[in-house]
Amino acid sequence: MLTNEIRARLIQLAGEARQWAYAPYSNYRVGAAALTSSGRFFTGCNVENASYPNGLCAERVAVFKAVSEGEREFLAIAVVTGNGGTPCGACRQVLAEFGLDTMVLIADAEGNLKQEARLSELLPGAFGPGDLGK
Ligand SMILES: [Zn+2]
């Protein structure tokens, strides 16, 4: 179970990471912070590109940073945007790869928690490793 202290820490870290967002095209700045089961925090921001499809969302930056350092289990991830926007479908799918129990905290730029949901609620009927026998 997430404590309020951990919730606040995740939202704070995601908000801080948001300052590094590279979003000159959409101006939609996003920060994310993931907490792994080993207790480590990984942050990310969205990184856009002049060749639009080559950009990456903040959530996936954070998850890939964690996985690239040996992490495979996520307890929670916080996402901070200007208006409390929710993770896109691609990010939900990437999170699903590592477990449907991950808690997703969605907050606005002022740090207000707008929504908290288990990934299984955000991506019902997810296609996952089990569908490929893993
Ligand atoms: Zn996304």
Side-chain angles (χ1 to χ4, degrees):
M1 220 33 208
L2 292 181
T3 64
N4 284 335
E5 185 180 6
I6 290 176
R7 284 185 182 88
R9 179 83 176 128
L10 280 165
I11 292 170
Q12 179 196 348
L13 288 171
E16 289 172 5
R18 185 170 175 260
Q19 74 180 302
W20 304 118
Y22 179 72
Y25 308 106
S26 72
N27 290 313
Y28 195 77
R29 305 166 66 82
V30 186
L35 171 62
T36 67
S37 60
S38 64
R40 297 171 71 193
F41 291 92
F42 293 84
T43 61
C45 63
N46 54 329
V47 182
E48 295 182 348
N49 190 278
S51 173
Y52 282 19
N54 292 308
L56 196 62
C57 299
E59 301 93 313
R60 278 180 283 164
V61 170
V63 167
F64 292 161
K65 281 170 70 176
V67 173
S68 73
E69 294 189 26
E71 302 291 339
R72 299 274 174 90
E73 291 179 26
F74 296 89
L75 298 179
I77 185 167
V79 185
V80 171
T81 63
N83 61 357
T86 64
C88 78
C91 287
R92 296 177 196 208
Q93 181 65 43
V94 165
L95 283 165
E97 181 72 20
F98 302 103
L100 294 168
D101 288 334
T102 303
M103 295 304 300
V104 181
L105 312 180
I106 295 157
D108 65 18
E110 285 72 48
N112 300 307
L113 181 62
K114 310 293 279 190
Q115 185 182 354
E116 177 173 337
R118 214 166 272 287
L119 184 63
S120 57
E121 299 173 71
L122 296 178
L123 191 64
F127 182 87
D131 293 300
L132 298 177
K134 301 294 178 187

